[in-house]
Amino acid sequence: GQSLEQPSEVTAVEGAIVQINCTYQTSGFYGLSWYQQHDGGAPTFLSYNGLDGLEETGRFSSFLSRSDSYGYLLLQELQMKDSASYFCALKAPDSGYALNFGKGTSLLVTP
Amino acid sequence: DTGVSQNPRHKITKRGQNVTFRCDPISEHNRLYWYRQTLGQGPEFLTYFQNEAQLEKSRLLSDRFSAERPKGSFSTLEIQRTEQGDSAMYLCASSLVKDRAGFGELFFGEGSRLTVL
């Protein structure tokens, strides 16, 4: 089977840095992805880690440690528009390599 | 707009009725996915197609749900004999994937919201 765990809610101040953690259990690893979803909107792709280490895309970075079955999404210089839900997601061999999503972390950025 | 489009955007139906949703993926994408999302939850995988072939269907998916992708282009998701528990946002996504386990960014549509009374 497969499971993904992430905090349900995080609050941070505008301009700060926030880290959203994701721990997982999986029978086969095929990369960890991160998606962002604003209220009422569609999920949009943020980042992908196929190998250990840090991937940086502008203000967003994602980190993976396969030995620890752990990853995180790092958001820097937070802006009010970053208030959204953030999902980590894994491919699952037992669902034909479809992407399975965690329950999501709701990030609230305050002034 | 060349993104993923879904319709209808909203559907209200009575319990026991059948409903059908349509998804038009990004034209050059070979994979098309259906997900379901309820409030406060992540998207839940339902099924996916590679071109016109339905490669996988969630084991949790009721047999009241059926999906097709004729000619490998648009797809339809039909729910028969709807129940109140079917109320959710139905999301379609497409991607371009070169091999089965390879990475492919999912591009989601805005979803079709179903309310079953």
Side-chain angles (χ1 to χ4, degrees):
Chain A
Q2 186 182 76
S3 67
L4 291 145
E5 296 290 333
Q6 46 182 136
S8 58
E9 293 181 350
V10 173
T11 301
V13 178
E14 192 175 15
I17 299 172
V18 72
Q19 179 173 311
I20 298 174
N21 298 322
C22 174
T23 57
Y24 61 85
Q25 290 185 330
T26 183
S27 56
F29 183 79
Y30 299 91
L32 185 70
S33 298
W34 290 90
Y35 284 75
Q36 178 192 59
Q37 185 178 30
H38 287 97
D39 279 350
T44 56
F45 171 77
L46 288 177
S47 187
Y48 171 79
N49 294 79
L51 300 173
D52 290 353
L54 193 68
E55 293 288 336
E56 297 179 81
T57 309
R59 294 187 297 114
F60 293 1
S61 303
S62 59
F63 172 82
L64 175 68
S65 169
R66 287 176 293 172
S67 60
D68 295 323
S69 297
Y70 165 74
Y72 66 71
L73 180 70
L74 191 73
L75 296 81
Q76 302 181 72
E77 301 172 15
L78 281 173
Q79 302 176 8
M80 300 296 288
K81 67 178 182 179
D82 297 330
S83 292
S85 291
Y86 293 85
F87 299 94
C88 57
L90 279 177
K91 285 203 171 188
D94 57 0
S95 65
Y97 303 97
L99 201 60
N100 285 339
F101 288 79
K103 292 186 177 181
T105 298
S106 177
L107 170 64
L108 176 64
V109 180
T110 61
Chain B
D1 190 309
T2 57
V4 177
S5 65
Q6 294 187 243
N7 63 81
R9 295 292 309 280
H10 303 274
K11 178 72 177 179
I12 300 173
T13 190
K14 293 182 178 179
R15 184 166 52 93
Q17 298 294 303
N18 299 344
V19 296
T20 299
F21 301 115
R22 175 178 170 127
C23 172
D24 288 89
I26 294 172
S27 59
E28 60 266 29
H29 285 180
N30 55 357
R31 283 212 182 159
L32 185 148
Y33 306 79
W34 285 100
Y35 285 83
R36 174 172 60 191
Q37 187 175 29
T38 53
L39 196 62
Q41 301 294 313
E44 175 195 359
F45 168 71
L46 297 180
T47 187
Y48 84 85
F49 294 82
Q50 175 114 351
N51 301 314
E52 66 273 10
Q54 188 173 17
L55 291 191
E56 196 69 28
K57 186 175 176 180
S58 170
R59 288 189 289 269
L60 302 176
L61 194 60
S62 163
D63 57 9
R64 296 183 297 104
F65 287 68
S66 62
E68 295 182 342
R69 192 184 182 196
K71 303 177 183 178
S73 56
F74 72 92
S75 175
T76 58
L77 177 70
E78 181 183 20
I79 309 173
Q80 296 182 325
R81 305 181 302 282
T82 53
E83 301 173 357
Q84 288 184 327
D86 298 332
S87 294
M89 178 71 84
Y90 290 84
L91 294 166
C92 176
S94 68
S95 70
L96 181 62
V97 179
K98 294 181 180 179
D99 60 82
R100 195 169 194 197
F103 168 71
E105 173 186 344
L106 295 190
F107 292 81
F108 282 87
E110 296 292 327
S112 294
R113 181 169 296 284
L114 173 65
T115 302
V116 181
L117 302 175

